[in-house]
Amino acid sequence: MIQETYKTIQSSVQEELKVKGSRFVARAAPVSAKEEAEEKLGRISREFHEATHHCFAYRVGIGDGGVDRSSDAGEPAGTAGQPILQVIRGEGLTNILVVVTRYFGGTKLGIGGLIKAYTTVTQEVLRKAAILEIPVFHHLELKTDYAHISNVMREINVFEAKLTASDYRETIQLQVNVPAQKVSDFREALIDRTGGQIKIKVVTES
């Protein structure tokens, strides 16, 4: 089944939870790549270096190209990073980073208490976030000749594709972003309108 849209958050949000003297400060931010997630994580860790832990999870990308990562950051295994990630997954979100900074209050919470705290504060910070549903586009490279370019351009408009680059030489090379649900019909239309005189390559999805 083709994924036509994905959900992420509109902007950065923050929420705080206090449990038996410990403070759990959750920060959620939109990210577009794992490198951006790692950079923001590093920035938070440096800015709030006096904290006891900076536990986190992030998801970026969609489908088979999606990547996620989580870390307990010194908390007992499985009590922080995975609970944060499970909430993100449960909300169906991607392109998102959640960092929960803990300031230890002197009282140990135990395995169950930690899981509950990290789960709860992640749920609460995501409730504050505005959720965006964004269309998925496939990036295609097209190669054709001058005799067929007018028909190709017509189909680009008909299918509401976005022309992102063009190169007019001996052959014409175009780069277009096409809504995921329209890719198959778009390919068929191009082949039909050019009598098969076109090369089509699906490069990425975004």
Side-chain angles (χ1 to χ4, degrees), residues 10 39 117 186:
Q10 183 176 36
E39 189 276 330
F186 180 63

Side-chain angles (χ1 to χ4, degrees), residues 6 57 61 74 80 97 130 158 168 171:
Y6 67 90
L97 164 71
V158 167
Y168 287 76
T171 59

Side-chain angles (χ1 to χ4, degrees), residues 16 26 40 59 98 106 133-134 136-137 155 177 182 193:
E16 182 173 329
K40 287 187 176 182
R59 295 186 76 197
V98 176
E133 189 163 1
I134 299 175
V136 174
F137 285 85
E155 296 306 322
N177 289 333
K182 297 182 179 181
R193 296 286 289 180

Side-chain angles (χ1 to χ4, degrees), residues 31-169:
V31 293
S32 58
K34 63 181 181 179
E35 292 81 8
E36 183 182 2
E38 296 285 353
E39 189 276 330
K40 287 187 176 182
L41 171 63
R43 190 189 313 160
I44 290 171
S45 298
R46 290 189 298 272
E47 183 175 355
F48 305 99
H49 58 86
E50 74 282 4
T52 315
H53 305 279
H54 294 289
C55 307
F56 71 89
Y58 63 74
R59 295 186 76 197
V60 293
I62 57 175
D64 294 338
V67 175
D68 57 39
R69 183 186 170 207
S70 65
S71 173
D72 298 310
E75 293 280 34
T79 62
Q82 278 299 309
I84 296 169
L85 184 58
Q86 289 304 317
V87 175
I88 293 172
R89 287 174 173 166
E91 295 295 328
L93 297 171
T94 190
N95 287 7
I96 181 174
L97 164 71
V98 176
V99 182
V100 180
T101 299
R102 182 189 180 189
Y103 298 87
F104 183 58
T107 301
K108 292 184 177 180
L109 303 183
I111 299 297
L114 288 171
I115 292 173
K116 182 178 180 180
Y118 282 103
T119 298
T120 300
V121 75
T122 303
Q123 291 170 334
E124 291 183 358
V125 76
L126 293 183
R127 286 193 192 102
K128 293 183 68 174
I131 305 299
L132 300 177
E133 189 163 1
I134 299 175
V136 174
F137 285 85
H138 286 209
H139 181 66
L140 276 63
E141 290 182 355
L142 312 177
K143 293 183 181 180
T144 191
D145 54 39
Y146 286 84
H148 298 100
I149 187 60
S150 60
N151 286 333
V152 171
M153 295 303 296
R154 177 182 178 277
E155 296 306 322
I156 288 174
N157 291 328
V158 167
F159 283 87
E160 299 178 304
K162 298 178 181 178
L163 181 64
T164 60
S166 58
D167 187 3
Y168 287 76
R169 300 188 184 184

Side-chain angles (χ1 to χ4, degrees), residues 13-38:
V13 287
Q14 179 175 318
E15 185 59 278
E16 182 173 329
L17 175 70
K18 293 182 179 179
V19 182
K20 295 183 179 179
S22 285
R23 292 174 56 218
F24 296 83
V25 182
R27 297 175 176 87
V31 293
S32 58
K34 63 181 181 179
E35 292 81 8
E36 183 182 2
E38 296 285 353

